Each structure stands twice: as structure tokens, then as C-alpha cells.
Amino acid sequence: MTHLRTTATPVVICLLAACAATPGNGSYQYYLTGNPADVTTGTRGLVVLQGGGDDVDANYARMGEFAGGGDFVVLRASGGDDYNDYIHALCGCDSVETVVFAGREAAFDPFVVEKIRYAEAVFIAGGDQSNYVRFWKDTPVEDAIHFVAAKPAPVGGTSAGMAILGEFAYSAMTPTSLSSEAALSNPYHPDLTLERQFLRVAGMENILTDQHLIERDRIGRTLAMLARLVGDGWTAEGHAIASDRETSLHLDPSNGTAAVFATADHETPYVYFLRLSDDAAVCRPDTPLTMHGVAVYRLSPGGTFNVRTWTGSGGLAYSLEVNDGKLGSSRGTIY
């Protein structure tokens, strides 16, 4: 099922005969399903990265398990409470709470910050990741997400939520979403906006994320962003995790191991691990990109990958290159 609907409801939704105190300043909406009282449970770390589209049920079942059945908080910058009942039915959690941010002011609200810090799991919904950067960067909400991840406890996101969970992120700060065509023709295109060290999540160090990969033909832009990271000196060796829709990666930050989950009927349930070891041969403004030596590992459900060693099993290994803005693949197809 997909969770992109909006809802015109009051600021507080009280379900299952439970209701939290009415929150404060009007710059957010808050919705609750389950027990309004805080509980404390034993948690384990888990990073969940979904490439958008219909939600993968395993995300919430496993996050609830790793959260010890505690309080599950969903963060959004659009939409409403449509995740609450769906997640609550899957996660075995004490409660599911959603906070919908309307602006940066909410990131300083004590009620919002407390809800996040006391959570045993945090999930960031899709939408526009530039709102998350604008609303949360250098605020107590950013610190609260770091606090949950460091417990350690499950932290995840889909689409825009996945985009911001790497050390490096496409921040989408312009009105037009970056396309592969634009990025490959000019790796310094105005739409290629990058953020670094916004959210710091264990296991995601030195990694860029991208989503809706095959659906929106984004692997070219992923390569261009890797070229920028290396060419601009942000990292000596660029790594990216990119996922197609309806496909998610579950990463155990304690040992770096990861596995893929997907909806039952999805035809391209792939996560791509990309590594650029060398500087791009030609990465200059207003010049088509040229780069070589991009190692790719494509993983589907049943295989495994380790982000510490950057090696996998049960997947498909090949390489990509870009010559004068044109993509090429060692296997004849880029995906």
C-alpha cells in the first residue's frame, strides 16, 4: 500500500481510546495511535532505506522488533496520519505517532523534540527532502534524531526520507528535480545541490543515497553526484546506495551487513551499491561528464552486502563509465 494521501483533520487525532496532550504552536500537526504514555524498551540499531513507492511491510515489522515494541514516531513535512494505523498493525508497538512539520519553528518545540527523543523507532516519510533540510538542519530535531540512532534504535526513511539518511545527500534545493540528462551534461548544473553531514547515522558514513532509481532513470545523476563528491574533495572514494521503488535495504550498523526486502509483485526489486575509486576524468562546470571505474553491485532479496568491506554475495557485479556525458556498462545495460 502507498501512503501519500493527505487528510484534513484536527491537530490531535486520538485513537484506541488514547490521547496525548494538545501540542503547541500551530507549526505542526500531531497524530497518535495507541498508548499516549511513554514506555522504555530495549532497542537495537537498524537502518531502513526504501526507494519510494508502495511501502514494504517488512520495514515496519522489523523496525518494531528492533524497537522492542516501544514508541514508533513518523516524521513528515506533508500529508497526515495515514501511516499510523498501517504501521501499528505491523510493528507490534506501544504506539505510533506522526508529526507533520509545517515550518522550521516546530523543530524547536519542546513537545516535538521530546516525542522524537523518547521514541524507540523513527521513520521519515517521502515528500520533498529540501523541506527536511530547511526545517531541521542545526535544530533540536536534528539532534533528537541523532539521539535515537545512537541509542542504538531503528531509523528509516522512504523516498525523500531515504535521501537524507546518508552522510552525503541530494538536497533538492531548486524547484526542478535533478535529472540524469542534466547531471551528465553538466555535473555543476544548478539543480545538483548536495548536503553533507546533515543526519549522522551509524553505518551510513561516506555514503550518498538515491531513490526511485529505475522508475525515474536516475543512475546517471547518482554517478554525477559521486563525481562531484570526489572531484570537490568531500571524500577520497565515493560510495552510493541507490534503490528502486518498492524496494528497501535493511542495514545492521553494528556489523555493516545488509539485506534487501521488496513488495511481493515488484519486478525490479534491486538495490545498487556503487563505488567510485578515482577522480572523474572530466568533471567541470558546463562540460559533459567523463568518469571511469565505477564498480556496481546489484542486490535483490536473498543476497547480502556489507558496507564496511563493500562486498556482497548473491548479487550481480559489473561496472559503469561515462564518456562525454554518455553512460556505458560492462554488461550492456546500465541497470
Side-chain angles (χ1 to χ4, degrees), residues 108-275:
F108 297 88
D109 188 283
F111 179 89
V112 171
V113 175
E114 179 181 281
K115 287 297 177 184
I116 298 170
R117 285 181 66 89
Y118 289 171
E120 279 70 48
V122 169
F123 189 80
I124 304 169
D128 181 347
Q129 62 260 39
S130 68
N131 286 329
Y132 296 140
V133 178
R134 291 185 176 103
F135 295 170
W136 299 346
K137 188 173 174 61
D138 300 323
T139 72
V141 159
E142 181 185 38
D143 294 338
I145 296 170
H146 293 158
F147 181 81
V148 174
K151 286 184 179 182
V155 174
T158 185
S159 192
M162 174 179 173
I164 60 173
L165 285 175
E167 178 179 348
F168 307 116
Y170 166 57
S171 54
M173 288 297 191
T174 60
T176 304
S177 181
L178 177 67
S179 68
S180 288
E181 181 181 7
L184 292 171
S185 64
N186 176 15
Y188 285 83
H189 191 282
D191 289 335
L192 201 162
T193 58
L194 292 167
E195 187 68 42
R196 67 192 303 184
Q197 296 180 335
F198 167 39
L199 295 184
R200 295 181 294 278
V201 177
M204 297 301 294
E205 298 86 358
N206 196 36
I207 293 174
L208 169 80
T209 58
D210 210 351
Q211 3 70 35
H212 295 281
L213 198 72
I214 301 171
E215 175 196 13
R216 300 180 185 175
D217 190 23
R218 285 179 168 173
I219 202 165
R221 82 172 195 178
T222 309
L223 295 184
M225 290 190 287
L226 280 178
R228 283 285 306 275
L229 294 179
V230 175
D232 291 355
W234 283 20
T235 179
E237 185 175 78
H239 297 84
I241 298 174
S243 176
D244 195 29
R245 62 177 288 125
E246 298 173 23
T247 307
S248 60
L249 185 77
H250 292 198
L251 168 65
D252 183 342
S254 69
N255 56 25
T257 60
V260 175
F261 297 82
T263 56
D265 56 352
H266 187 42
E267 296 180 353
T268 55
Y270 302 131
V271 175
Y272 295 78
F273 300 84
L274 302 97
R275 180 178 65 190

Side-chain angles (χ1 to χ4, degrees), residues 297-311:
Y297 198 82
R298 191 186 78 180
L299 198 67
S300 58
T304 60
F305 196 87
N306 191 294
V307 299
R308 292 186 181 176
T309 61
W310 211 254
T311 57

